Amino acid sequence: MNKTMMASAVSAVLALTAHHALAAAPADWSAVPTVETGVFYPGVSPVEWITKGTEHGGARVLRKGETCAACHSEELADIGQKIVSGKKLEPSPIAGKAAFIATTVQAAHDGENLYLRFTWKQPAASGSPAMDEQNPVKIAYMLEAGDKVELASQSGCWASCHGDARTMPGADDSKTKYVKDGSLANGIYYDLNQWRSGENKAFDGYVADHREMEGGQALVGAEGKLDGDTWSVVFTRKLAGGEGDVSLAPGNTYNFGFAIHDDSATGRFHHVSLGYKLGIDTEGDITASKL
């Protein structure tokens, strides 16, 4: 077999393997428990703001170990509306932008792969110029293990959101998300997976002292589709992983949060969840049981 034939054979095997891995996701998601939650528009509310007691009244209870979800889980739509209107925390309001997107999350695993399914109804477009012309929708989730990232167990992804990161007012447009004392070697990072609609491509990266969108080894792939006005995106990732991947094991819980870039948004102009616990064969806000 010549080199060209060998390369074609290897490519075919890899493609078939990826296809089988994705096809192993639940054929009937109606049998998998659903968690009704959502993402809201956060405006300019970086981690520095939520920890500053003079501006955010929850900073005091946050310092005592309380979670953002414990205080705010029932008022996400109201918070999003106040911010998206420009009344608070948004110096550049976008007329017509959605304040809140109700989202259903489902999780399952088969002993080798974790399957995460997100579904939501597409909000009306704002009519503002597209920030990302190539991708009308992007969705990402982050995982953290061991509570090594400060505040990850309380605030979800907020520990990676800083006032000096790109698209924040007056910030350096080349500075990405990061976490305090971020270090892959020391386990201080978020595992990051993202799917982009226009490119129809999944990305496997991490957030440590900076953000990398590629390099991970756990993500098998992601599939998304728009059925009428409803999006559904399924991520398939191996329980085990490599550098920058959080390895998942039955009986453990992991810090979990997700975000939707709706209306061709980029940077901070996304919608975000609060912080939750993902359990693998154990109780969490979202539980992935074995199929």
Side-chain angles (χ1 to χ4, degrees):
M1 182 181 291
N2 61 37
K3 290 183 179 180
T4 301
M5 293 175 64
M6 177 66 75
S8 298
V10 171
S11 297
V13 170
L14 290 175
L16 185 62
T17 300
H19 172 75
H20 282 176
L22 287 170
D28 181 11
W29 278 99
S30 66
V32 178
T34 61
V35 175
E36 305 296 333
T37 180
V39 287
F40 69 101
Y41 184 68
V44 185
S45 58
V47 67
E48 292 84 6
W49 181 84
I50 71 168
T51 56
K52 191 173 182 180
T54 56
E55 298 180 11
H56 174 224
R60 180 176 57 83
V61 292
L62 196 67
R63 286 193 291 269
K64 293 182 178 180
E66 190 61 271
T67 66
C68 296
C71 290
H72 298 303
S73 61
E74 302 300 320
E75 56 184 9
L76 297 185
D78 291 337
I79 294 173
Q81 184 57 49
K82 182 179 290 186
I83 297 174
V84 81
S85 69
K87 292 180 180 179
K88 187 175 184 178
L89 291 169
E90 181 47 78
S92 305
I94 298 172
K97 191 171 183 69
F100 173 77
I101 304 173
T103 314
T104 298
V105 184
Q106 295 168 280
H109 77 92
D110 59 10
E112 294 185 5
N113 295 319
L114 169 71
Y115 306 100
L116 285 169
R117 182 176 186 249
F118 301 86
T119 58
W120 71 96
K121 184 175 289 188
Q122 174 69 56
S126 67
S128 61
M131 298 178 186
D132 182 350
E133 295 183 356
Q134 192 171 6
N135 299 291
V137 166
K138 299 187 287 286
I139 181 169
Y141 70 88
M142 294 204 288
L143 294 168
E144 194 272 346
D147 298 343
K148 291 185 177 181
V149 172
E150 186 176 322
L151 292 178
S153 64
Q154 297 170 264
S155 64
C157 304
W158 249 270
S160 69
C161 178
H162 298 272
D164 62 350
R166 72 183 194 90
T167 70
M168 285 291 187
D172 182 347
D173 200 47
S174 65
K175 190 162 189 176
T176 66
K177 288 180 178 288
Y178 64 94
V179 298
K180 182 181 178 182
D181 302 321
S183 167
L184 286 181
N186 295 326
I188 307 173
Y189 66 91
Y190 285 105
D191 187 354
L192 167 65
N193 291 166
Q194 184 192 72
W195 177 78
R196 300 178 185 177
S197 63
E199 297 170 63
N200 191 24
K201 183 178 179 181
F203 294 81
D204 187 352
Y206 63 85
V207 179
D209 59 329
H210 68 289
R211 182 185 63 191
E212 288 285 350
M213 292 304 299
E214 298 182 286
Q217 302 173 41
L219 185 64
V220 176
E223 295 181 333
K225 65 178 181 178
L226 180 62
D227 185 4
D229 63 355
T230 301
W231 281 101
S232 63
V233 179
V234 177
F235 288 90
T236 300
R237 63 151 286 168
K238 293 178 285 187
L239 297 183
E243 187 177 66
D245 297 316
V246 168
S247 293
L248 308 176
N252 293 336
T253 60
Y254 302 87
N255 297 314
F256 171 82
F258 64 99
I260 296 173
H261 279 82
D262 172 61
D263 200 27
S264 300
T266 58
R268 70 171 184 84
F269 296 97
H270 55 359
H271 291 74
V272 298
S273 77
L274 296 177
Y276 301 110
K277 296 290 185 182
L278 173 68
I280 310 297
D281 284 337
T282 192
E283 185 177 356
D285 301 302
I286 300 160
T287 300
S289 298
K290 191 170 184 180
L291 297 169

